[in-house]
């Protein structure tokens, strides 16, 4: 069985995919489509979804089919069920997904007559309903009796607000109730029953990429990864602008990194689908590339029926071959450590937006234990002890970038000790900026393409220096501030109300932000937004364009007057654009939705 050298590809079979297989002879031919274009080394075969549960015989037949080909086979469960729920008279069958009432049970019952005014729909489970719990446990036991590894698709959450759940919740918040409930369910209805049936079985929890809502729906990365054998994550950001979830595309990279930092070596991989990608197939390919840029070990393609005989697979196969030739050269990802504690909200996905503005990030679940510059956002303020940790970091000589959202959350929590900057509830709209110069005089003014709305941050003159200001008529307001504390430097970055407005900054503003915040990493890029930099610990990096049109010229600034740079794929050295006293500058042209990998030569 041919395999890629640096990663694996798996194909996911839902219960509907399985139901579409009527003869193994015809399936052998159809599966050839995937074999022609991809080196597929694993399949996940689902034993339950909605109201469909394939029989043991068919599952065993499929398992044997793939094992004969030398392809690994794991099981999968999607924790959705069919329910009867009340339908509002004015909303038709395509209306709202809700959760109410008890599950219908197994497949046979799903065909029962639905009374007028009610409808049958898929939903996640009510985990306080005893019959539903028992049914779920049986589903897990059945899967464990066939497979030695089982993944739970990312419907393993609860949004149930039925009267019984309200009563069980009592005085707790939904967050506290659901985090506790799903930890208990993970232990008692998933891992223990599965291992009782099959002591060899490895259970995988797959987390969705909408991490901002984990705590509200009971996904608990603080407890569950220790209960399960492996974690996995969705990396399907798709076309952000036309998706209800509006997850920034950099998230296909950062979510893998957050989990890898949480459970080193125990992240099984990432998972993508083809939704929202037909208008630009590069959205589909990009999700795969970002998963592997983050050093994901395996990529699961959802799902067989949706991908069979489609236009997605041939270009994906082509790009995976190309990526396999360079990704092995890249070491471990590094970047500005950004503190994203468990169950945090506030400035969700902010580092994903900033990542696509050219800053390299490494999200961490713990306060970063390093001397270099770290970033704290409103999410970091979730940690009640964050101020003491920040103070110690600065006293030891580490630097920090505080976002305006962090300042807001920390008001009244002692942040005045660290900076004179204060978040106010006033706003300023501007498209003009000034950048630091000598003494207290700005050196020049630059204009963005459109106005952006910024919160006004107040600071005390000479207690902090304003490195970048938004200019408005006869006044100006800080975008980037700098002061010192102990042995460290404190930067304060004002974040636009709409994070996507970061892309409205002129290149000069973005470049100065990168220059200061990336100073510990020995590299920054000069140029426009939507070019990302992925850094690795062995003097390699990837430059990746998130732009949808036109080639862009970017300058790479490397620390050191005599650096050399090689493009890994071609093996050719890039000619130097400019030597400066303390840096070497290279100019790179990058096409839209394209990436280039480089090695810095010593
Ligand atoms: Zn319920």
């Amino acid at each position: 069985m041919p395999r890629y050298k640096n990663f694996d590809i798996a194909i996911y079979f839902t219960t509907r995919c399985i139901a579409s297989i009527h003869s193994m002879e015809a399936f052998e031919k159809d599966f050839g489509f995937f074999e022609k274009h991809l080196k597929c080394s694993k399949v996940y075969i689902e034993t339950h979804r909605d109201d469909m549960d394939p029989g043991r015989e068919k599952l065993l037949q499929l398992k044997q089919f793939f094992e004969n080909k030398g392809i690994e086979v794991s099981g999968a469960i999607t924790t959705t069920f069919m329910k009867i729920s009340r339908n509002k008279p004015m909303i038709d069958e395509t209306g709202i997904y809700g959760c109410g009432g008890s599950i219908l049970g197994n497949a046979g019952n799903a065909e029962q007559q639905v009374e007028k005014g009610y409808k049958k729909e898929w939903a996640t489970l009510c985990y306080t309903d005893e019959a539903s719990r028992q049914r779920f446990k049986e589903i897990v036991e059945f899967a464990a009796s066939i497979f030695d590894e089982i993944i739970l698709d990312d419907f393993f959450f609860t949004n149930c607000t039925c009267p019984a759940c309200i009563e069980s919740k009592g005085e707790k918040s939904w967050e506290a109730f659901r985090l506790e409930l799903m930890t208990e369910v993970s232990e008692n209805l998933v891992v223990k029953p599965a291992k009782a049936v099959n002591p060899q079985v490895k259970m995988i929890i797959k987390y969705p990429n909408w991490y901002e809502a984990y705590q509200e729906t009971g996904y608990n990365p603080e407890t569950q990864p220790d209960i399960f054998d492996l974690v996995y994550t969705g990396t399907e950001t798709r076309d952000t602008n036309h998706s209800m979830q509006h997850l920034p595309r950099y998230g296909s990279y950062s979510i893998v990194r957050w989990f890898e930092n949480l459970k080193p070596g125990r992240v099984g991989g990432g998972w993508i689908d083809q939704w929202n990608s037909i208008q630009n197939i590069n959205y589909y390919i990009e999700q795969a590339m970002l998963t592997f840029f983050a050093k994901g070990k395996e990529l699961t393609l959802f799902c067989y029926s949706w991908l069979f005989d489609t236009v997605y697979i041939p270009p994906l196969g082509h790009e995976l071959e190309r990526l396999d030739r360079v990704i092995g050269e890249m070491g471990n990802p590094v970047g500005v450590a950004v503190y994203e504690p468990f169950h945090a909200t506030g400035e969700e996905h902010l580092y994903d937006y900033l990542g696509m503005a050219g800053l390299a990030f490494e999200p961490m679940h713990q306060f970063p234990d390093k001397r270099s510059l770290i970033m704290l956002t409103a999410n970091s303020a979730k940690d009640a002890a964050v101020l003491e940790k920040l103070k110690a970091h600065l006293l030891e000589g580490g630097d920090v970038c505080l976002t305006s959202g962090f300042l807001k959350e920390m008001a009244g929590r002692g942040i005045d000790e660290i900076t004179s900057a204060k978040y106010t509830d006033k706003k300023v709209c501007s498209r003009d900026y000034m950048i630091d110069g000598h003494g207290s005089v700005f050196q020049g003014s630059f204009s963005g393409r459109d106005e952006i709305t910024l919160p006004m941050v107040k600071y005390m003159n000479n207690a902090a220096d304003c490195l970048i200001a938004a200019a408005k008529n006869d006044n100006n307001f800080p975008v980037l501030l700098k002061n010192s504390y102990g042995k460290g430097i404190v930067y304060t970055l004002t974040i636009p109300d709409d994070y996507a407005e970061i892309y409205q900054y002129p290149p000069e503003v973005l470049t100065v932000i990168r220059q200061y915040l990336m100073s510990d990493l020995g590299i920054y890029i000069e140029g426009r937004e939507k070019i990302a930099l992925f850094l690795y610990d062995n003097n390699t990096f990837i430059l990746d364009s998130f732009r949808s049109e036109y080639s862009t010229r970017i300058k790479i600034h490397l620390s050191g007057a005599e650096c050399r740079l090689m493009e890994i794929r071609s093996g050719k050295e890039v000619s130097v654009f400019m030597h400066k006293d303390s840096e070497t500058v290279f100019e790179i042209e990058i096409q839209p939705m394209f990436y280039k990998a480089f090695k810095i030569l010593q």
Side-chain angles (χ1 to χ4, degrees):
M1 186 67 219
R3 288 179 96 121
Y4 298 103
K5 283 201 296 286
N6 297 295
F7 45 77
D8 289 315
I9 291 290
I11 298 177
Y12 193 91
F13 285 73
T14 65
T15 54
R16 284 190 189 83
C17 300
I18 295 166
S20 75
I21 299 168
H22 299 294
S23 93
M24 294 312 285
E25 290 70 34
F27 176 60
E28 167 89 60
K29 222 170 121 215
D30 290 349
F31 191 72
F33 169 73
F34 292 92
E35 291 174 306
K36 180 179 171 191
H37 297 288
L38 299 173
K39 293 171 184 165
C40 167
S41 48
K42 191 172 181 180
V43 291
Y44 289 93
I45 296 180
E46 209 173 60
T47 62
H48 173 88
R49 171 179 293 253
D50 301 345
D51 55 354
M52 294 183 80
D53 299 66
R56 181 181 294 274
E57 199 183 319
K58 190 156 188 183
L59 292 167
L60 288 173
Q61 196 182 15
L62 267 177
K63 189 168 178 256
Q64 192 61 57
F65 172 88
F66 288 113
E67 282 173 354
N68 290 347
K69 283 180 176 292
I71 293 176
E72 291 169 44
V73 188
S74 292
I77 296 169
T78 294
T79 51
T80 53
F81 298 82
M82 298 312 284
K83 291 191 175 189
I84 298 288
S85 58
R86 199 152 60 86
N87 198 8
K88 288 191 176 173
M90 294 302 291
I91 295 174
D92 68 15
E93 289 303 307
T94 58
I96 296 167
Y97 292 122
C99 186
S102 180
I103 60 167
L104 284 177
N106 54 27
N109 294 339
E111 296 310 315
Q112 77 185 55
Q113 196 66 32
V114 179
E115 282 177 45
K116 198 164 182 287
Y118 288 79
K119 65 176 176 174
K120 192 177 70 182
E121 61 188 3
W122 66 264
T124 56
L125 200 57
C126 170
Y127 290 98
T128 62
D129 177 69
E130 204 40 58
S132 304
R133 287 172 65 97
Q134 188 54 35
R135 169 84 182 109
F136 177 43
K137 189 163 160 270
E138 286 163 15
I139 287 166
V140 170
E141 287 165 344
F142 175 72
S145 73
I146 299 177
F147 299 103
D148 289 334
E149 184 177 85
I150 299 162
I151 192 167
L152 297 189
D153 191 3
D154 61 17
F155 288 88
F156 183 51
F157 63 87
T158 177
N159 53 9
C160 190
T161 51
C162 76
C165 281
I166 293 173
E167 201 187 323
S168 299
K169 178 177 87 69
E171 295 301 307
K172 288 180 197 154
S173 64
W174 282 111
E175 174 179 324
F177 168 66
R178 287 172 175 161
L179 286 173
E180 225 171 82
L181 176 65
M182 295 312 285
T183 299
E184 183 273 323
V185 167
S186 301
E187 267 168 351
N188 295 333
L189 302 186
V190 182
V191 176
K192 279 183 193 163
K195 301 220 180 210
V197 169
N198 177 358
Q200 308 297 322
V201 75
K202 287 202 165 24
M203 300 302 290
I204 309 175
I205 182 165
K206 178 206 163 195
Y207 284 90
N209 53 356
W210 34 271
Y211 74 81
E212 73 292 341
Y214 284 174
Q215 60 277 7
E216 189 66 21
T217 53
Y219 268 116
N220 192 340
E222 191 175 7
T223 58
Q224 289 166 322
D226 290 330
I227 299 168
F228 285 81
D229 298 289
L230 284 171
V231 296
Y232 219 90
T233 178
T235 50
E236 70 284 26
T237 44
R238 312 172 182 136
D239 173 4
T240 301
N241 295 348
H242 301 96
S243 154
M244 204 183 286
Q245 294 186 335
H246 60 95
L247 299 167
R249 284 144 61 200
Y250 189 91
S252 296
Y253 173 88
S254 63
I255 190 111
V256 179
R257 296 309 310 152
W258 189 83
F259 275 109
E260 188 61 41
N261 285 317
L262 173 63
K263 288 289 163 199
R266 281 180 51 204
V267 181
W271 163 312
I272 62 170
D273 60 41
Q274 89 311 349
W275 278 14
N276 255 168
S277 297
I278 193 64
Q279 71 277 34
N280 185 342
I281 288 170
N282 270 311
Y283 287 134
Y284 182 66
I285 309 289
E286 181 185 80
Q287 304 172 125
M289 298 299 116
L290 291 169
T291 306
F292 291 131
F293 291 172
K295 291 287 173 150
K297 293 189 203 63
E298 178 182 273
L299 182 72
T300 293
L301 307 179
F302 185 95
C303 63
Y304 171 77
S305 304
W306 286 357
L307 296 169
F308 170 64
D309 202 19
T310 63
V311 70
Y312 301 104
I313 296 301
L316 177 66
H318 179 260
E319 286 301 319
L320 289 174
E321 287 292 346
R322 282 163 53 83
L323 181 70
D324 201 23
R325 294 200 290 267
V326 301
I327 199 72
E329 300 294 318
M330 321 313 279
N332 297 313
V334 292
V336 172
V338 54
Y339 180 27
E340 179 72 34
F342 295 121
H343 324 310
T345 56
E347 285 178 322
E348 298 85 24
H349 297 285
L350 173 60
Y351 52 75
D352 294 328
Y353 286 94
L354 287 167
M356 289 188 285
L359 292 160
F361 284 110
E362 188 67 1
M364 324 277 287
H365 68 290
Q366 284 179 325
F367 192 93
D369 179 24
K370 42 170 87 173
R371 287 273 175 86
S372 49
L373 183 139
I374 62 169
M375 180 176 263
L376 301 180
T377 71
N379 293 42
S380 319
K382 172 86 181 175
D383 180 350
V386 71
L387 189 73
E388 292 78 72
K389 293 174 186 173
L390 167 59
K391 208 170 150 183
H393 173 76
L394 290 163
L395 286 170
E396 284 165 19
D399 299 336
V400 67
C401 174
L402 313 176
T403 65
S404 45
F406 181 79
L407 279 189
K408 183 182 179 188
E409 292 298 319
M410 295 300 290
R413 284 173 59 184
I415 192 66
D416 305 6
E417 167 73 12
I418 308 291
T419 172
S420 69
K422 284 191 170 52
Y423 185 94
T424 76
D425 55 4
K426 296 173 187 168
K427 306 283 179 195
V428 60
C429 296
S430 179
R431 57 180 288 176
D432 299 319
Y433 306 89
M434 294 182 295
I435 294 176
D436 68 332
H438 301 291
S440 57
V441 180
F442 289 112
Q443 70 172 357
S445 63
F446 305 92
S447 292
R449 275 169 296 128
D450 208 351
E451 276 202 340
I452 72 172
T453 305
L454 290 165
M456 276 189 202
V457 170
K458 224 167 62 168
Y459 72 103
M460 296 297 164
N461 278 328
N462 294 317
D465 295 326
C466 186
L467 305 176
I468 304 170
K472 182 82 176 183
N473 298 327
D474 298 321
N475 209 344
N476 65 69
F477 307 88
V479 172
L480 185 65
L481 286 171
K482 180 186 168 192
N483 67 277
S484 60
Y485 184 88
K487 295 183 197 161
I489 299 172
V490 180
Y491 296 98
T492 303
L493 182 66
T494 310
I495 302 297
D497 283 7
D498 169 5
Y499 309 152
E501 286 188 343
I502 289 164
Y503 307 138
Q504 303 296 336
Y505 283 138
E508 293 83 359
V509 167
L510 290 174
T511 300
V512 172
I513 293 173
R514 296 172 193 137
Q515 194 176 3
Y516 281 103
L517 302 190
M518 304 270 290
S519 54
D520 286 335
L521 296 163
I523 179 171
Y524 68 92
I525 59 176
E526 175 187 346
R528 296 190 63 171
E529 75 288 354
K530 294 198 184 166
I531 303 287
L533 185 61
F534 298 104
L535 301 179
Y536 301 87
D537 64 357
N538 63 342
N539 283 322
T540 58
F541 65 90
I542 291 172
L543 204 57
D544 184 37
S545 174
F546 285 88
R547 306 185 66 80
S548 52
E549 48 197 21
Y550 311 124
S551 289
T552 311
R553 284 185 176 279
I554 285 287
K555 292 194 181 65
I556 309 273
H557 292 248
L558 296 180
S559 173
E562 297 296 335
C563 294
R564 288 160 55 213
L565 192 64
M566 179 185 81
E567 198 202 337
I568 291 175
R569 195 189 306 284
S570 67
K572 288 185 182 155
E573 228 176 292
V574 183
S575 51
V576 172
F577 180 80
M578 190 196 298
H579 286 287
K580 295 171 92 174
D581 288 348
S582 58
E583 59 181 31
T584 316
V585 185
F586 299 87
E587 190 177 59
I588 309 287
E589 182 170 4
I590 187 150
Q591 292 173 295
M593 310 292 289
F594 203 75
Y595 72 92
K596 285 182 176 175
F598 298 92
K599 184 162 189 63
I600 302 165
L601 303 172
Q602 297 298 328

